[in-house]
Amino acid sequence: MKEVTIDYALRATWQAVARLYNEEAKHFDLTMALGFTLLSIDPKTGTPSTSLGPKMGMEATSLSRILKSMEQKGLIERKPNPADGRGVLIHLTDFGLEKRKDSKDVVLRFNEVVKHHVSEEKLKHFFEVTEVINKLISDKKIYTKDTSNK
């Protein structure tokens, strides 16, 4: 049997989690992308629209589509940023806050079940590995001309 690559394990697992979240989100008339966006918006003070994309690792055009959809569904409203007259803050409506709670409950349930089946030590190692992978990527140490980064 072939050895499973790290990227395959990450991708396959994330796709399974995304499918699971999308299936669950349907029960709340949401998608995983909408739920993730709801969770990324500060429920008390709102979030500047310009910081939302980087916070979520999402391109501006994709985020614009999601925000437009959320606005049409009555989940968010845009308000001028008092700290920056040119900027806009994304605020959750009462309906958005309700759907944010639903999204948070789904994520917490996922975490609760995984923690029940995976030891604390294994989870600690999992997070250590993801931290190393993210650092290698952010430090641009994976695809370089210098091969001494191995």
Side-chain angles (χ1 to χ4, degrees):
M1 187 172 139
K2 288 184 179 178
E3 183 181 337
V4 174
T5 61
I6 296 165
D7 73 302
Y8 177 83
L10 288 170
R11 194 171 1 100
T13 302
W14 176 246
Q15 287 174 343
V17 171
R19 271 193 309 278
L20 176 76
Y21 278 160
N22 270 316
E23 283 298 312
E24 196 59 30
K26 284 181 191 174
H27 300 296
F28 302 98
D29 293 322
L30 293 173
T31 63
M32 185 188 79
L34 290 178
F36 183 45
T37 307
L38 288 168
L39 292 171
S40 299
I41 298 170
D42 187 295
K44 291 182 175 58
T45 61
T47 300
S49 57
T50 52
S51 70
L52 205 47
K55 182 178 183 180
M56 296 173 62
M58 191 178 284
E59 294 296 323
T61 51
S62 301
L63 182 60
S64 290
R65 262 193 308 272
I66 289 173
L67 292 177
K68 184 177 180 184
S69 167
M70 292 175 78
E71 202 166 20
Q72 290 169 343
K73 292 176 188 292
L75 295 165
I76 61 164
E77 54 190 5
R78 300 170 199 247
K79 295 180 180 177
N81 186 342
D84 173 8
R86 299 166 297 149
V88 173
L89 287 175
I90 307 296
H91 284 272
L92 297 173
T93 62
D94 287 342
F95 183 54
L97 287 167
E98 179 185 318
K99 293 298 180 179
R100 184 183 192 280
K101 183 189 178 318
D102 292 338
S103 299
K104 186 175 180 179
D105 289 346
V106 167
V107 171
L108 291 175
R109 172 73 179 149
F110 174 83
N111 278 275
E112 177 185 307
V113 172
V114 171
K115 285 178 178 180
H116 180 75
H117 291 280
V118 179
S119 73
E120 199 174 313
E121 182 182 358
K122 284 184 179 180
L123 275 175
K124 181 177 175 259
H125 291 306
F126 170 77
F127 284 116
E128 289 169 354
V129 170
T130 60
E131 190 177 316
V132 168
I133 291 169
N134 281 313
K135 180 140 178 54
L136 288 169
I137 292 167
S138 67
D139 291 349
K140 300 185 183 326
K141 297 226 174 178
I142 294 182
Y143 299 111
T144 62
K145 297 210 187 287
D146 177 9
T147 57
S148 65
N149 287 333
K150 290 183 180 182

